[in-house]
Amino acid sequence: MNRSDASLKVTGTAPYAVDVALAGMLHAKVLRSPHAHALVTRIDTAAAEQAPGVRAVLTRRDLLDGEHRDRWAAADLQHRPSDAPLVAAHSYGYFIKDQPILALDRVRCIGDPVVAIAAETELDATRALSLVQVTYEPLPAVTNFDEALADGAPEIFPEAPLGITPAYGQGASGGARPRSNVCYRFGYETGDPETFDGCDHVFTDVFAFDGRQQHLHLEPFVAVARWSAQVTSDDSRLELWSSCQNPFPVRKEMARLLGIGEQRVRMHVGFLGGGFGAKNGCKTEPIAALLALKASAPVRYCLTLDEGFWTMRQHNARLTLRTGVMADGTLVARDAEVLLDAGAYADASPLVAEKAGYRVAGPYRWQHIHSVTDAVLTNTTPAGPFRGFGGTQANFACESQIDMIAERLGMDPVELRRRNLIGLGESYVPGESAMDSDLVEGLELVASHIGMDSPRPAGRGRGVAVGFKDSGGVNKPAQARVKVATSGDAWVQCGTVEMGQGAQTALREVAARILRLPRSRVHWSDIDTDHTPFDQGTNASSAISVMGQAVQKAAEAARLRVLLFAKTELGVPLERLDFADGFIHVTSETGSGGEDRNDDRNGPEPRPLAPMVMGVYGGTGYEFTGEGFFKAPTESRAPLESPCVSWEYGWGAAEVSVDAETGAVTVHRLVVSGDAGTVLHEGACRGQDEGAAIMGLGGALFETMRFDGPALTNGRLVDYRVPRASDLPAEFVSITQEQGHGPGPFGSKGLGEGAMLPIASAIANAVADATGVRVTSMPLTPETVLAALDETRTER
């Protein structure tokens, strides 16, 4: 069964935001800071404004009111006809509005946008940027945890930005700016801390998650903006074509920035060429919109792939786990201190802090959990959501320490997990939803496949790990609409973005099964916020577990409308009617004695829907529309506002060898498994698990953005190492489980992130099994592994 978007993508006709071309469209380029931390004392754009092809120049003067312009931009040599700023707010963000559209008083990382230019061609804009003169006053920079948190460290934000704290439930807490250079702190606690006193052993280990993976979505960040009139006109509207994962929240943020109603912002989103979390929130949209406003022309702002390295990355982390256990391997208590490197701006770091702090206990039974997670600001590329965000960092530490504890207790690591994994139907923590997969079943599946109980070939080691995350988003609402036309064909309208994960295919399949139509007769409507029902965003593996339920309800409502229409027209009870393949089917009526009581009018011959509709509404026909809505109920006892909709798991197992002379790790066998609940499209499920596992493999072994102080040393596509075909293990197996306990349609549940989570720790555990040496930092580069081997050899 082909994916719904297969033909479009194979033939190159699938529409992406990068393909949008409007009449008279200009092209934008941005001048970026060469400094990691500096005051911006002067901006001179006079020569750039006169350069060939230039139609608009955007600087901080366009963002500031008179008071701040006098304070920060007195030396800027840009002349505007009006003193009124173009925006109502100059900075954006999730919980914390700290990221300016363009640099205001200072820059906070190399690559920070300072000046934007719209010109008739990209070459014209690039040449004009070379004419801009900016004077900086360098400031001390902080580039790691120790520098940022040291007493007297330079403050990245001397004044606190606007920020909010969400409503938390039982055991959870959070707050912005608890101390200098910490943009957000999340805490979670349950149980009695004195349980540590009764433990037979207490182990404390520190883990360094040094992976700063680049999302490396092949479609770059891009937005095309067009205004219908000047913003001062009540009739003006901003129309945006964007490569974003959450068009409705971006619409809301753009309206806030511009000081206009949301009804005056219209978002179009087609296919995305990958996102992996990076395309949540504003990126290119504000600059494109403001340049379009100044130039009175459409503007396309498309970053290069290299510019993506200055825009977003994964969080590196330091995790300290203190874990109390009994001599028989029973896990009792865990304290965790987590530091996340947020980079220069908060972006979604508060959300990542929530997830890392909430998931760091792992899917195990505990009498006590206490975690504190700080998102620390540094003068480096901002960090944001990354596939499985928070879970990748937490899982590496958690699953590595589980193996370390097993080794210290002389226990089999699979058995230690088996004894402590939360059972199917058991709650994760008080107030939270229950596990919806059998974790032991999945563990035994991958452990058996890799041969954990069988002898190892010489020089090889094996390891397993269990990854888990809450899935479906926090308190996430989703709406959907399904329409059935006179022909019997159907349309699905919803805000889920297709970014390669197969969401279109799966959601059309949901509607097709309910309407009893071939999937080829169920069509997809492009996302347009003027007409598409609301969705919070395509993230957190929510397409099936959340939006799937909305689509299911919408399809059921549309089907009911068709049957009610047929009931009226045929005079047949509803329970005797069915709708399939565009036909109304009437089942036989059985008398009390079992005899068939059909008459000519109510016979078993299927009735095509079209003639029935046209007999009532004429040749123009009619559409039967169903609306669907789903949201997990708000619950004050739930730590994160509402119980999570579903749980996503990844079970991983690896067999490796290690070159004792170089430290190079070779993964010979890799087994990964996720639970789809019920498979709606086998190829899409397998593709998601395998793609996640290979992304995890890259992060485990070599993939990271490398910094020399504040300077990114491999910030070009040609220099950045990603997995190649030659990096694939000789044996790479993915197993899609169908345990059938998911909350989505037909028992389905989301996947696509879970299979990434166990890979790094499974490989690290296999390295320890092969060498007897524990590596507590990742990626497991040859240099890192060799250093650990040498340290052990020196100690001996």
Side-chain angles (χ1 to χ4, degrees), residues 149-218:
L149 299 177
D151 291 339
E155 287 194 88
I156 296 177
F157 283 90
E159 298 179 5
L162 175 68
I164 62 169
T165 301
Y168 290 113
Q170 184 176 204
S173 61
R177 200 177 168 92
R179 57 171 296 187
S180 175
N181 290 336
V182 173
C183 65
Y184 199 81
R185 173 175 291 168
F186 173 79
Y188 179 72
E189 185 168 15
T190 185
D192 187 348
E194 292 185 3
T195 54
F196 272 106
D197 297 339
C199 295
D200 293 327
H201 305 280
V202 177
F203 302 110
T204 299
D205 300 290
V206 180
F207 301 89
F209 185 96
D210 291 329
R212 296 179 178 94
Q213 279 184 267
Q214 166 58 217
H215 298 74
L216 216 65
H217 36 78
L218 292 184

Side-chain angles (χ1 to χ4, degrees), residues 427-472:
S427 293
Y428 171 52
V429 293
E432 188 52 276
S433 59
M435 297 289 108
D436 52 14
S437 288
D438 187 325
L439 288 158
V440 172
E441 180 180 330
L443 171 65
E444 292 177 343
L445 176 68
V446 297
S448 172
H449 205 96
I450 205 73
M452 286 296 290
D453 292 335
S454 61
R456 277 75 164 141
R460 296 198 182 181
R462 295 176 185 147
V464 297
V466 181
F468 99 117
K469 64 180 288 290
D470 47 306
S471 178

Side-chain angles (χ1 to χ4, degrees), residues 87-287:
V87 295
H90 50 60
S91 298
Y92 56 88
Y94 284 76
F95 293 0
I96 300 168
K97 310 298 184 183
D98 66 348
Q99 188 153 5
I101 298 168
L102 291 171
L104 301 175
D105 63 326
R106 67 179 64 201
V107 291
R108 295 179 173 86
C109 62
I110 294 173
D112 229 353
V114 179
V115 177
I117 292 178
E120 293 175 4
T121 67
E122 289 189 352
L123 182 58
D124 286 340
T126 301
R127 285 173 172 167
L129 287 178
S130 67
L131 302 176
V132 176
Q133 297 181 25
V134 182
T135 304
Y136 299 93
E137 183 182 313
L139 298 170
V142 294
T143 61
N144 56 51
F145 296 125
D146 294 331
E147 291 176 357
L149 299 177
D151 291 339
E155 287 194 88
I156 296 177
F157 283 90
E159 298 179 5
L162 175 68
I164 62 169
T165 301
Y168 290 113
Q170 184 176 204
S173 61
R177 200 177 168 92
R179 57 171 296 187
S180 175
N181 290 336
V182 173
C183 65
Y184 199 81
R185 173 175 291 168
F186 173 79
Y188 179 72
E189 185 168 15
T190 185
D192 187 348
E194 292 185 3
T195 54
F196 272 106
D197 297 339
C199 295
D200 293 327
H201 305 280
V202 177
F203 302 110
T204 299
D205 300 290
V206 180
F207 301 89
F209 185 96
D210 291 329
R212 296 179 178 94
Q213 279 184 267
Q214 166 58 217
H215 298 74
L216 216 65
H217 36 78
L218 292 184
E219 179 198 26
F221 295 107
V222 60
V224 177
R226 178 174 65 188
W227 287 87
S228 61
Q230 289 296 315
V231 73
T232 52
S233 166
D234 291 339
D235 296 328
S236 69
R237 296 198 72 198
L238 170 63
E239 199 166 6
L240 278 164
W241 289 260
S242 170
S243 64
C244 71
Q245 296 178 224
N246 53 349
F248 287 93
V250 169
R251 179 185 69 175
K252 180 179 180 180
E253 189 72 334
M254 289 301 300
R256 185 189 69 85
L257 289 171
L258 295 163
I260 60 177
E262 288 185 47
Q263 77 281 0
R264 292 172 63 184
V265 180
R266 182 180 186 181
M267 298 282 300
H268 302 274
V269 177
F271 290 113
L272 258 64
F276 312 114
K279 292 181 179 176
N280 281 292
C282 291
K283 297 295 186 296
T284 51
E285 296 82 6
I287 286 176

Side-chain angles (χ1 to χ4, degrees), residues 702-741:
F702 46 74
E703 191 177 342
T704 185
M705 290 168 57
R706 300 186 181 280
F707 287 86
D708 181 4
L712 178 60
T713 62
N714 63 340
R716 299 187 306 159
L717 189 59
V718 70
D719 298 322
Y720 184 77
R721 175 82 158 87
V722 295
R724 300 184 290 252
S726 59
D727 293 312
L728 288 174
E731 181 183 336
F732 177 37
V733 177
S734 67
I735 306 168
T736 304
Q737 299 178 55
E738 289 190 90
Q739 294 194 16
H741 309 299

Side-chain angles (χ1 to χ4, degrees), residues 459 656-668 701-702 721 763 767 770-771 775 780-787 789 793:
V656 310
S657 64
V658 179
D659 188 320
E661 299 302 318
T662 66
V665 176
T666 300
V667 180
H668 299 279
L701 296 180
F702 46 74
R721 175 82 158 87
I763 293 174
V767 167
T771 65
V775 182
L780 285 81
T781 63
E783 297 84 358
T784 299
V785 175
L786 185 61
L789 292 172
R793 287 190 280 250

